[in-house]
Amino acid sequence: MDILDQSIHELHQRLKSKEISSVETARAMLARIESVEPQIGSFITVTPEQALADAEAADRRIAAGQMDVLTGIPLALKDIFLTEGIRTTCGSRILDNFVPPYSATSWEKLKERGVVLLGKLNQDEFAMGSSNESSAYGTVRNPWDTDRIPGGSSGGSAAAVAARQATATLGTDTGGSIRQPASHCGCVGLKPTYGRVSRYGVIAYASSLDQVGPLTRDVTDSAIMLGALAGHDPKDSTSVNTPVPDYSAALTGTIKGLRIGLPREYFIEGLDPDVHKAMDAAIESYRRLGAEFVDISLPHTDYAVATYYLIATAEASSNLARYDGVRFGHRAEGAAGLLDMYTKSRSEGFGAEVKRRIMLGTYALSSGYYDAYYVKAQKVRTLIMQDFICAFEAVDVILTPVAPTPAFKIGEKVADPLQMYLSDIFTIPVNLAGTCAMSIPAGISASGLPIGLQLIGKPFGEETILRAAHAFEQATEWHTRKAVI
Ligand code: GLN
């Protein structure tokens, strides 16, 4: 048994039977992080002292018979989650010295269960990107091929799971940032419905789109993590007060009669042939499992990327106004007055992609252009939402690719932001519609790279997509393939 390869539920059994301790587990993980970090770069901050203290506390809980499935499990968090007393950069130079005075609710919830914190993970700056190349802390490398990107913006979160540097991780998804890196690194990524998980204490990018979710080794772990994270939080006015179902109980293994929609707009020319093949094979597997397929249309798909880049940048330009060098974060030296200090601090602190988005967003919100861009985008967003509402009258789940191609090469799209933006074409509509979706391993390309399958569910339909994902996992072996590193 290699501790590093274990899922949460497997590790739980070993911890429960006292075959290993949480401290031994944490030490093994920390040693692994140290040995592969020079090749991967998943972490911005490793927290060995915190990890060992958490593990000792977990071992005491286990000895006292007070453990649950997450007690003693080593996790790591995208550096967008506030962690009290532990540096939180959001991948930006502007927050290089920021130590938050409180923690995100999602992290608090996991802490209460006795998890072990290994550290904070690399990401695109302020979660803006699809490749992790916009981080101020270096590019993360894909553990399956270190010349390639791990995806973004939660690239460190996906790479850490794939490189076996953590048992599971947390990410955030505004336009695909959990699902696309999960797909590129061969792990399971879940973006819950908007409102399902609290975003309190998660650094805001685009507030009407951001959601928190887990990246895990398998679907069983995804259900465990969602169960721990979901629920109403009075500190987040967008979190919804509906009961949290038992997600693990939803994994029944049977999907007979499940109606799966195939949106014709997603199986387009330009889709990588290996991705197409993997989707065809997955459809075949689902047919054998007793699912019924329905051809559907999501007619406004073509407008999703443009709509997203107006709404997300508009919201980002407003959210990022708080980084002014006054209250926290980087402050420029030698400024001649207040305005100069703002300008210098922001010029020095933000990277090129973040600046581009602040400018785009400010433009879209400016008087004279507001109606033509921002208001128009909101109207198109409603049409995209209605596409999904209509589709879900005929189907229970929608099946699509996660990304048009497997992981691309580092540097390949840096010079062409539009090409980079288009890599989220299949994930962005889900955030605009506010519903849930997940990415699960569903194939390997001819060049040995993982390919993900996206299952989109109805709002608050996480149980259904988890059940469908689990049934597929039982019938295939893609989730057992590992990056050789
Ligand atoms: N790649 C998309 C963007 O750059 C999505 C990022 C995300 O989901 N945080 O905005």
Side-chain angles (χ1 to χ4, degrees):
M1 181 260 311
D2 189 343
I3 295 175
L4 305 173
D5 287 327
Q6 305 275 289
S7 62
I8 294 174
H9 56 98
E10 289 165 344
L11 202 49
H12 171 64
Q13 292 307 328
R14 304 254 143 64
L15 290 165
K16 195 169 155 190
S17 66
K18 312 234 172 38
E19 194 182 317
I20 44 165
S21 68
S22 177
V23 168
E24 282 164 343
T25 309
R27 282 195 207 286
M29 282 288 174
L30 291 167
R32 172 71 178 172
I33 292 169
E34 201 173 311
S35 79
V36 296
E37 263 308 85
Q39 292 165 75
I40 306 295
S42 311
F43 283 79
I44 291 176
T45 306
V46 184
T47 54
E49 285 164 22
Q50 180 76 42
L52 292 173
D54 290 347
E56 280 166 18
D59 280 336
R60 284 195 293 275
R61 265 168 92 149
I62 295 169
Q66 288 164 349
M67 82 183 300
D68 76 30
V69 65
L70 285 168
T71 310
I73 303 295
L75 304 180
L77 310 176
K78 184 176 184 179
D79 212 15
I80 200 167
F81 291 88
L82 299 191
T83 41
E84 184 183 346
I86 298 168
R87 180 169 83 131
T88 300
T89 68
C90 212
S92 183
R93 212 168 102 66
I94 211 157
L95 289 176
D96 190 49
N97 59 7
F98 177 56
V99 178
Y102 65 95
S103 290
T105 298
S106 40
W107 171 231
E108 288 286 355
K109 284 188 162 196
L110 294 173
K111 266 205 305 197
E112 277 164 23
R113 310 279 294 264
V115 299
V116 171
L117 179 66
L118 296 166
K120 306 293 297 290
L121 296 160
N122 208 338
Q123 58 164 95
D124 279 300
E125 185 177 5
F126 284 102
M128 297 175 188
S130 309
S131 66
N132 235 275
E133 292 167 292
S134 80
S135 169
Y137 301 88
T139 300
V140 180
R141 290 171 181 276
N142 190 316
W144 294 75
D145 175 349
T146 51
D147 288 337
R148 292 182 186 265
I149 56 103
S153 66
S154 313
S157 304
V161 171
R164 302 181 282 288
Q165 298 173 300
T167 305
T169 59
L170 284 194
T172 57
D173 192 311
T174 304
S177 277
I178 291 174
R179 290 160 286 157
Q180 184 254 21
S183 172
H184 288 344
C185 290
C187 39
V188 174
L190 169 63
K191 184 206 99 70
T193 307
Y194 187 78
R196 183 69 288 184
V197 177
S198 166
R199 290 108 37 92
Y200 179 74
V202 179
I203 294 172
Y205 161 16
S207 307
S208 76
L209 300 158
D210 300 339
Q211 253 297 292
V212 168
L215 291 100
T216 56
R217 293 199 193 298
D218 63 19
V219 177
T220 304
D221 282 4
S222 193
I224 292 171
M225 289 289 283
L226 181 62
L229 295 167
H232 179 240
D233 177 9
K235 291 180 186 150
D236 176 0
S237 61
T238 68
S239 81
V240 174
N241 200 354
T242 55
V244 178
D246 181 347
Y247 294 112
S248 300
L251 312 182
T252 57
T254 49
I255 55 151
K256 232 181 174 35
L258 189 79
R259 295 166 307 163
I260 303 182
L262 297 175
R264 66 179 71 104
E265 292 80 4
Y266 283 58
F267 293 87
I268 42 168
E269 245 176 84
L271 192 63
D272 180 278
D274 287 346
V275 174
H276 214 302
K277 244 191 266 163
M279 294 305 113
D280 288 344
I283 291 166
E284 229 358 83
S285 301
Y286 271 117
R287 259 193 236 286
R288 281 199 297 272
L289 288 165
E292 289 163 24
F293 281 91
V294 183
D295 284 322
I296 58 164
S297 173
L298 297 166
H300 297 93
T301 302
D302 263 3
Y303 307 106
V305 171
T307 304
Y308 171 86
Y309 277 96
L310 284 167
I311 294 175
T313 57
E315 293 180 11
S317 73
S318 162
N319 276 326
L320 270 57
R322 72 190 70 176
Y323 306 103
D324 56 9
V326 175
R327 288 159 291 185
F328 50 84
H330 173 74
R331 179 182 298 185
E333 301 282 336
L338 186 63
L339 195 59
D340 193 40
M341 197 273 282
Y342 288 157
T343 312
K344 279 209 169 99
S345 300
R346 286 168 69 84
S347 304
E348 292 171 9
F350 290 134
E353 183 59 29
V354 172
K355 285 178 185 159
R356 173 163 32 240
R357 299 208 187 184
I358 292 173
M359 286 189 277
L360 275 171
T362 306
Y363 184 80
L365 289 176
S366 57
S367 83
Y369 296 102
Y370 182 86
D371 286 337
Y373 293 113
Y374 185 71
V375 172
K376 187 68 154 272
Q378 293 292 10
K379 288 180 180 167
V380 180
R381 180 176 188 173
T382 303
L383 295 174
I384 292 170
M385 255 178 222
Q386 281 167 355
D387 281 357
F388 280 94
I389 293 170
C390 269
F392 280 123
E393 279 170 14
V395 299
D396 306 302
V397 170
I398 297 172
L399 184 155
T400 77
V402 178
T405 65
F408 46 89
K409 289 247 165 77
I410 290 172
E412 195 178 314
K413 299 192 180 178
V414 180
D416 189 349
L418 202 56
Q419 275 310 311
M420 187 76 89
Y421 297 171
L422 286 171
S423 49
D424 300 318
I425 189 159
F426 302 141
T427 49
I428 275 174
V430 171
N431 301 74
L432 291 170
T435 193
C436 61
M438 60 194 297
S439 168
I440 53 171
I444 303 281
S445 72
S447 46
L449 300 167
I451 294 170
L453 163 76
Q454 177 169 239
L455 297 169
I456 306 171
K458 296 178 185 174
F460 298 94
E462 283 84 356
E463 287 170 285
T464 309
I465 52 171
L466 282 163
R467 184 161 57 91
H470 176 70
F472 181 79
E473 196 178 78
Q474 301 278 293
T476 57
E477 42 79 55
W478 301 115
H479 66 291
T480 64
R481 301 289 187 94
K482 286 172 193 148
V484 182
I485 179 119

